[in-house]
Amino acid sequence: MMTIGIETVHAYLTSELDGVRPVEAWGETSYFFNPGGALARGTYLATIKQKDGPNDRASDLDRDGVWRLNIGVGKRRFQAMFGALPTRPPKGETVKGSWDFAAIDRIVPHPVYGWMGWVAVLCPSEPTFKACKPLIAEAHDRAAASFRRRVKPGR
């Protein structure tokens, strides 16, 4: 199945959702809800990761053309999708479970941050990205609510 490109996901996150600002750091692009730049960064809702890091190698992102979309869906949505939240893994390890974190085009718990209610997908196809859009919308709503709690009116 044909996968979509990073630019498609980037365009969706920055054009279709209000208040989203991308920040490049640590070999990934992080997407924050931060309308008007009211906070130093804002509140996380998604990331695109293109290479392995010292504590995040389970997806084997160093393969040619492989990248990962990560979405902060929250604990309730995560539990509805995968059951109980996994426990926090020790540094350099992954959450415990039977998921294949290196599988292309499959929504799985985030290999490191699944315990925080994050999910991930490597190189999504168009149908899989379509399935991700409601998850992204939910992450956006969660990030906006968190942002509003942190930013007082008139600030």
Side-chain angles (χ1 to χ4, degrees):
M1 183 166 291
M2 192 79 171
T3 63
I4 62 170
I6 290 172
E7 55 286 336
T8 300
V9 177
H10 176 81
Y12 180 81
L13 291 167
T14 57
S15 301
E16 299 296 320
L17 304 172
D18 67 303
V20 174
R21 292 181 173 216
V23 176
E24 299 277 337
W26 309 295
E28 64 185 40
T29 304
S30 299
Y31 297 86
F32 295 91
F33 183 82
N34 195 15
L39 298 173
R41 287 202 181 237
T43 54
Y44 266 114
L45 66 114
T47 65
I48 293 176
K49 188 167 179 66
Q50 298 182 66
K51 63 181 183 178
D52 287 336
N55 296 308
D56 184 354
R57 298 179 188 278
S59 297
D60 194 13
L61 296 176
D62 290 339
R63 293 176 283 170
D64 277 348
V66 176
W67 56 278
R68 187 176 72 210
L69 169 63
N70 308 297
I71 309 166
V73 298
K75 294 176 181 179
R76 270 191 233 139
R77 172 64 54 211
F78 183 98
Q79 289 170 326
M81 294 173 71
F82 300 108
L85 285 167
T87 58
R88 183 178 185 167
K91 186 175 181 174
E93 294 185 26
T94 63
V95 295
K96 300 297 180 223
S98 60
W99 306 288
D100 180 356
F101 299 120
I104 302 293
D105 196 36
R106 185 176 307 142
I107 301 171
V108 297
H110 187 287
V112 178
Y113 298 114
W115 66 277
M116 294 176 66
W118 279 70
V119 300
V121 59
L122 303 183
C123 305
S125 64
E126 189 62 46
T128 301
F129 185 57
K130 184 176 180 182
C132 288
K133 288 180 179 179
L135 303 176
I136 293 168
E138 194 166 329
H140 182 262
D141 290 347
R142 290 182 66 254
S146 175
F147 178 88
R148 286 191 292 276
R149 286 190 298 272
R150 293 174 60 196
V151 175
K152 306 297 182 231
R155 185 174 161 188

